[in-house]
């Protein structure tokens, strides 16, 4: 297992450790901000649709369409789901760079 090294705070060459730390922080913040919105929006879709299968179909339809064609809860669900996915990718990049031990 690799040991953690302090992250330099000076401006210089691109350090993978500094990039990993920044990516982990940004990814985690993005997931923490958008995941509750996605879950809450889906709960709102369940309440509006009246049943879980109907809400699941509405969510699948929202995700299969274009971002510009959606509106209301479908648009919010689409955007928050994309934000959560982007946060997961950025967090994964940070974890990968942290584990490289360069």
């Amino acid at each position: 297992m690799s040991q953690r090294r302090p992250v330099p705070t000076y401006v210089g060459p691109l350090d993978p450790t500094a990039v990993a730390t920044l990516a982990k922080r940004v990814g985690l913040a993005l997931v923490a901000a958008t995941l509750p919105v996605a879950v809450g929006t889906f709960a709102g879709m369940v309440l509006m649709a009246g049943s879980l299968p109907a809400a699941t179909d509405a969510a699948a339809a929202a995700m299969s369409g274009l971002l510009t064609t959606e509106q209301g809860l479908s648009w919010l669900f689409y955007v928050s789901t994309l934000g959560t996915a982007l946060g997961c990718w950025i967090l994964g990049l940070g974890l990968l760079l942290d584990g490289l031990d360069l």
Side-chain angles (χ1 to χ4, degrees), residues 15-29:
D15 183 28
T17 307
V19 173
T21 302
L22 180 64
K24 287 190 294 186
R25 289 178 183 169
V26 169
L28 196 57

Side-chain angles (χ1 to χ4, degrees), residues 5 10 23 26 41-43 52 55 58 60-61 66 69 80-81 93:
R5 290 174 263 153
Y10 63 93
V26 169
T41 305
F42 184 73
L52 186 60
L66 296 175
T69 60
S80 61
T81 304
L93 172 69

Side-chain angles (χ1 to χ4, degrees), residues 3-81:
Q3 294 181 357
R4 303 222 181 254
R5 290 174 263 153
V7 178
T9 57
Y10 63 93
V11 177
L14 196 58
D15 183 28
T17 307
V19 173
T21 302
L22 180 64
K24 287 190 294 186
R25 289 178 183 169
V26 169
L28 196 57
L30 195 55
V31 168
T34 56
L35 185 61
V37 176
V39 172
T41 305
F42 184 73
M45 292 171 83
V46 170
L47 291 175
M48 288 187 68
S51 69
L52 186 60
T56 304
D57 291 340
M63 293 305 294
S64 66
L66 296 175
L67 180 60
T68 57
T69 60
E70 302 300 329
Q71 56 183 330
L73 281 180
S74 297
W75 182 83
L76 186 60
F77 181 73
Y78 193 107
V79 170
S80 61
T81 304

